[in-house]
Every structure is written in C-alpha cells, then in structure tokens.
Amino acid sequence: ANGAVRVEIEALLSMGLAISPMAGVRIRVACGNFVTAKPLGVIDGIDYRHTGEVRRVDVEALRNLLAGDSIALVPALGYSPTGEVFNLSAADVAGAVAKALGADKLIFLTENRLTNGRGRLIGSMVPREVDRYLARRRRIPEDQARVMHNAASACRAGVHRVHILDRHHDGILLSELFTRDGVGTMVTSETF
C-alpha cells in the first residue's frame, strides 16, 4: 500500500499538461530510506512482526534533498540495520521528521475533527491540554490519539505550530492557513 501511494504521488507531481498552469514545470521528488526503525516485538502476547517504530531520521539526507529544491517523500516505512522493512505509523513518522528537521509547522490530515465534550471544534490547545484531553477521553480512535500525542511531542521539541485538520472538507488546508481563526485545531507550545 505504501508503495502504491508513493508511486501515485510521484505521478501526480510529474504532471505538466500543456493546457494547465503547471505546463513546463518540473517538480523533483525523491523517496528513500530516510527512517531507521526497530521492531515493536511482542506486546501483551501479540507478535507485531513487521510493525515497527521510528528509531532515527536521516536528517542530513533530507536537508540535502531540500537544499537541492527537491520534495522529500517520506513514506510510513522504516528500515532496520539488518535490512528488514517495518510498517510505521504515519503520525509517528511525520512527528519524528518534523522534530528532526526543526520544522516551523506540521500539518496532520485526519479522519475526524477534534471536538470537546459538546461536539464543538477545539480551535487551539497547548501540549498540557492535549495531555489532559487524552487522559480524560477513553474512547478516542487510536490514530487520532497518536496524532494528538505527536502534535504535543512536536511542540515540546520546538515545532512552533501543529495543525490537525479533518481531511474530508474540501479546501480545509487553505482555510486553515489563510484565514484569521482557521478551521481546524492548532497545537502551539504557548497559548495562541
């Protein structure tokens, strides 16, 4: 699945139809073994086999690609020093890469918007509020909890802003980034 999505993204970034605004534009995209992983192993009697977690990110390789005006495509795969390939959480990879690069901003597109107990969108949070939210709520989907954990962790590591957006709304990225109050949840190291 990771390979198929990677190829599709590379193909979309390669389009340059003569009748489009992208005519003649060349976007270079590179993918590689930027993430070193370790196996999850056996947890509570369950062997997670080819599932792993991020061990480290090859920051130098990513910086070289970015300095060369390429887009670095980092899939949710990690490679062990012994040549094994592990499936990783996309949220964990995104958080680890943002922290390693010292990114200014990290954006997560999720399945749901982040709401309070009354179903209203939470506009902004700081890491300690994220921690309290996760501690109070028992029925948060695992992928949403992982995104929130990585958002708080990234802010604590120096990423200035993390946006959590519901991917099902057309134009949500533009609305979040180019309107005063945004339309998603923003996690910042200090109160916004």
Side-chain angles (χ1 to χ4, degrees):
N2 272 300
V5 171
R6 188 194 107 213
V7 169
E8 184 178 344
I9 291 170
E10 288 174 347
L12 290 170
L13 290 172
S14 298
M15 290 183 359
L17 298 174
I19 57 171
S20 77
M22 296 299 291
V25 174
R26 207 79 184 109
I27 299 173
R28 288 184 301 171
V29 61
C31 188
N33 57 346
F34 305 120
V35 178
T36 302
K38 60 183 176 183
L40 274 182
V42 178
I43 301 172
D44 295 329
I46 299 171
D47 185 357
Y48 284 87
R49 302 182 56 131
H50 299 288
T51 302
E53 58 187 357
V54 177
R55 182 176 288 191
R56 75 175 168 276
V57 175
D58 187 347
V59 179
E60 185 180 340
L62 289 172
R63 286 188 200 273
N64 287 338
L65 281 173
L66 296 173
D69 294 329
S70 292
I71 294 173
L73 183 58
V74 184
L77 293 174
Y79 304 87
S80 75
T82 59
E84 295 174 282
V85 181
F86 294 104
N87 289 314
L88 306 175
S89 158
D92 290 352
V93 171
V97 168
K99 289 187 282 189
L101 287 174
D104 290 325
K105 189 174 290 203
L106 172 60
I107 300 171
F108 287 106
L109 297 174
T110 63
E111 292 299 316
N112 302 302
R113 60 191 210 139
L114 198 56
T115 59
N116 62 16
R118 291 178 228 119
R120 292 195 178 155
L121 176 72
I122 299 172
S124 64
M125 300 175 92
V126 293
R128 70 178 176 280
E129 291 173 325
V130 172
D131 295 340
R132 281 195 302 257
Y133 184 92
L134 291 171
R136 280 193 317 249
R137 304 261 174 139
R138 300 280 181 234
R139 297 162 88 183
I140 300 173
E142 182 184 347
D143 57 336
Q144 188 80 8
R146 196 174 283 266
V147 163
M148 293 179 69
H149 170 75
N150 277 288
S153 177
C155 280
R156 286 184 177 111
V159 176
H160 300 295
R161 292 185 174 142
V162 179
H163 300 267
I164 302 172
L165 309 174
D166 180 354
R167 72 172 189 86
H168 297 286
H169 289 81
D170 286 340
I172 195 160
L173 187 59
L174 294 174
S175 297
E176 176 70 9
L177 298 177
F178 296 109
T179 60
R180 183 180 172 275
D181 295 325
V183 293
T185 300
M186 184 168 62
V187 180
T188 57
S189 53
E190 297 178 16
T191 304
F192 183 71

